[in-house]
Amino acid sequence: MNVFVKAMILGAVGFLAWLVNEPFLPKTLVPNDPAWARQELILLVTFVLLVSLAAGVWNGFQKGGASNIMLQGFLGLFLGGVGGLIGYSLGGALFRVILGEAGAMGVNPIMEVLGRSATFAVMGGCLGAGVGAAQMAKRPILAGLFGGVIAGLISGVLFVWAGMLLAAPAAISGGENAEVGALGRGILFTLLAFMIGLFTAWIELATRSAWLRLELGRNEGKEWPIDAAQTNIGRDERAHVPLFGDGQVLPLHAVIQKQGNSSYLLVDPTSGQGMGLGLNGARLASPTILNHGDLIQVGQNNLRFLLKSGHKISAQEGRALAMNVRGMSGPTPGSFPAPIQPIVQGQASPMVTQPQGTYRLVATLGPLAGQVYPINGPMDLGREGGAVPLAGDSKVSRRHASLSLSPQGVVVQDLGSTNGTFVNAQRVTNATLDHGDVLQIGNSSFRIERSP
C-alpha cells in the first residue's frame, strides 16, 4: 500500500511542477530560441527539486519523528537535486549525441523514442540514487538508481507516443509554428515522478532481507528495514527504529547487530539494567541470534522480526501472536517483577540478598516503573551511578544524589544537582526518608519501602 501512496504523492508533485511552469513556456516554435531553453531549464529544475524534496519528506515520515522528516527532507532536496541536475546535464548530452544538435525535429520516430528514453532514464536514475543516498545505506541508493532508470525509460516512450497522437489536432488549431507539446509534457512529468516513486519503493521493498514490523504499540503496522551494521531501537528520534509515546522506552533501548550476510544479533545495550528487553515473552538475558518471526518487546511495544527467506507472517496473524505473548504469565518488559541487582565485587552470584530490616526503592514513575532496587548501604544516584540505571535521563546530573542508611531511615543528600532532588514534592538538599516517602530524581519517582 505504501508503494502506491508514495507513487501518487510524487506523481502529484510532478504534475504541480509542470502546472506552475507551463504557462511561461513560449507558444511558438523558433529554432534555437533562448527564451525556450531558459524556461525549459526552469521547468526541469523545479521538477527535480520538488520531487527530491517530496521523496525525502516521505522517507522521513516512514521512519518517524519530526526531526527525521526535516532531516530526510533536507538531504533529499540537496542530494536528489544534485543527482537530478547532473542526470539532466548528462541526459541532455546523450540526447544531442543520439539526435544531433537539431534535436528531435524531423528525425525518425524510432530515434526520437531512443533519445527521449535514454535522456529521461539517465535523469531519473541519478535523481533516484540521490534521494536514496539521503538514507545513508547502499540498498536505497541502488533501488533509487534502478527504479529511476526504469521510470525514465517508460516515460520517454510514453512521451513520444503521446506527442505523436496530440501533435496533429493541436497543430491544426494553433497554426503551422504552434508549440504543441504542452499536454505531452504534463503527461511526461506526472508519469515520470509517479513511476520514480513506484519503482524505487517497489525495488526497495523487494530487495530488503530483514525488517521489523510494529505489531503492538503506536502506529501499528509500521515497518523498518534492517540495513545498517547496527540498528538502534529507542525513543531517540535519531534511532533507526524510533518508538514514541511510551515512557518505558529508553533513548537507546535495544540494538540489532548484523553478523555476516544473514545473521542478526539482538543485544540489550543497558546490560540488563532498566526496563530490560523481551524476546518471545521472556526477558533477554544475553545477546541472542534472531530467528524469523521472533517477537521483540521494548517497553509496551512489540516488534516482529522478519526475514525475506522465512515463511510469510501476515500483519493480522502477527498482531494476534503479539497479544498472546503480552497476555502470558511470564515476565514482559512492561511488568518484570524481578529487578536486576548490581554485581558486587567478589561475589559469585550477581544477586544481592536484602538484609532483614533494610530499605528498598520501588520505581513508581518513569522508564524504570515497576523495578525494585535494594538499599544495602551507601549508594550514589545519577547518570554515572551503577545501582539505579538513570543514564538515559537528561534531567539527571552525572552525580545527582547519595543515599545512606541510618537508624531513623534512609538519608538522601543532594550532590549539587542541576535540577534538584525532591522528597514528597519538596526540593531538599538533605532529608531522612521513611517507609512511604517518595523520592523524585529527574523523570523518575521512587517510593521508599521497608524490606520484608
Side-chain angles (χ1 to χ4, degrees):
M1 182 63 180
N2 285 340
V3 171
F4 292 99
V5 173
K6 179 180 181 180
M8 292 295 293
I9 291 173
L10 294 195
V13 169
F15 176 78
L16 178 64
W18 167 78
L19 187 65
V20 299
N21 282 281
E22 184 61 36
F24 300 100
L25 288 167
K27 303 307 176 187
T28 57
L29 288 175
V30 178
N32 300 319
D33 184 1
W36 175 265
R38 182 176 62 253
Q39 289 303 134
E40 184 182 50
L41 176 62
I42 293 173
L43 169 58
L44 285 164
V45 169
T46 304
F47 171 81
V48 166
L49 294 181
L50 286 180
V51 171
S52 298
L53 176 62
V57 169
W58 172 261
N59 291 335
F61 174 76
Q62 287 299 103
K63 189 173 182 181
S67 66
N68 282 323
I69 293 175
M70 291 187 290
L71 176 61
Q72 288 294 316
F74 171 77
L75 290 176
L77 175 64
F78 177 72
L79 296 175
V82 170
L85 295 178
I86 290 175
Y88 165 68
S89 178
L90 294 175
L94 183 61
F95 181 79
R96 289 188 292 273
V97 168
I98 295 174
L99 299 177
E101 291 298 329
M105 298 175 63
V107 301
N108 186 301
I110 296 178
M111 293 300 295
E112 185 178 356
V113 169
L114 179 61
R116 296 290 187 187
S117 298
T119 299
F120 292 121
V122 172
M123 187 177 78
C126 291
L127 190 156
V131 174
Q135 299 185 55
M136 306 299 178
K138 180 180 178 181
R139 191 173 58 85
I141 296 175
L142 294 177
L145 174 63
F146 289 112
V149 167
I150 296 171
L153 288 172
I154 296 175
S155 298
V157 173
L158 294 177
F159 173 67
V160 175
W161 286 353
M164 291 177 180
L165 292 173
L166 299 170
I172 291 172
S173 62
E176 184 179 352
N177 293 324
E179 202 290 308
V180 296
L183 187 56
R185 283 189 295 274
I187 295 173
L188 166 69
F189 287 108
T190 303
L191 280 179
L192 179 58
F194 175 86
M195 287 191 288
I196 286 175
L198 180 69
F199 287 112
T200 55
W202 180 80
I203 293 174
E204 219 176 316
L205 192 66
T207 57
R208 63 184 182 178
S209 57
W211 64 98
L212 291 173
R213 179 200 294 156
L214 183 63
E215 293 186 342
L216 277 183
R218 186 176 172 182
N219 299 319
E220 289 179 9
K222 198 176 188 67
E223 295 182 348
W224 296 270
I226 302 176
D227 288 325
Q230 176 172 305
T231 299
N232 296 333
I233 304 170
R235 73 163 183 262
D236 192 326
E237 286 195 349
R238 295 169 296 179
H240 299 91
V241 181
L243 299 173
F244 308 120
D246 186 348
Q248 296 182 5
V249 178
L250 299 173
L252 179 59
H253 202 116
V255 167
I256 297 177
Q257 296 176 350
K258 192 172 183 180
Q259 308 284 310
N261 294 324
S262 58
S263 294
Y264 299 85
L265 187 70
L266 179 63
V267 178
D268 183 351
T270 68
S271 301
Q273 299 182 13
M275 293 306 301
L277 183 62
L279 179 62
N280 299 324
R283 189 166 188 167
L284 186 72
S286 61
T288 303
I289 293 291
L290 289 168
N291 297 305
H292 175 73
D294 279 348
L295 191 69
I296 304 169
Q297 296 147 290
V298 180
Q300 298 299 318
N301 301 274
N302 286 343
L303 295 160
R304 180 76 58 186
F305 175 77
L306 299 168
L307 288 169
K308 183 179 180 180
S309 57
H311 66 279
K312 184 176 181 181
I313 297 177
S314 68
Q316 293 81 2
E317 178 188 3
R319 190 174 190 278
L321 292 171
M323 294 180 69
N324 288 337
V325 171
R326 177 56 55 85
M328 290 172 60
S329 59
T332 63
S335 59
F336 289 139
I340 298 296
Q341 309 291 357
I343 299 176
V344 178
Q345 190 68 28
Q347 285 189 338
S349 171
M351 301 300 292
V352 177
T353 303
Q354 298 180 30
Q356 195 75 14
T358 60
Y359 290 83
R360 62 185 183 180
L361 296 173
V362 179
T364 58
L365 183 65
L368 303 176
Q371 301 299 297
V372 181
Y373 302 94
I375 306 173
N376 295 317
M379 58 188 295
D380 286 348
L381 302 178
R383 294 203 312 271
E384 293 184 349
V388 180
L390 297 168
D393 193 337
S394 61
K395 292 185 178 181
V396 176
S397 299
R398 291 191 303 169
R399 295 185 69 248
H400 197 106
S402 66
L403 300 179
S404 60
L405 294 172
S406 74
Q408 290 75 35
V410 179
V411 178
V412 59
Q413 175 73 47
D414 185 83
L415 300 178
S417 65
T418 301
N419 294 303
T421 300
F422 296 81
V423 174
N424 299 328
Q426 299 295 318
R427 185 165 184 168
V428 300
T429 55
N430 186 285
T432 300
L433 292 73
D434 203 349
H435 182 81
D437 287 332
V438 177
L439 171 67
Q440 181 182 346
I441 292 178
N443 292 313
S444 298
S445 292
F446 303 89
R447 183 175 64 252
I448 306 297
E449 291 185 356
R450 290 191 182 92
S451 300

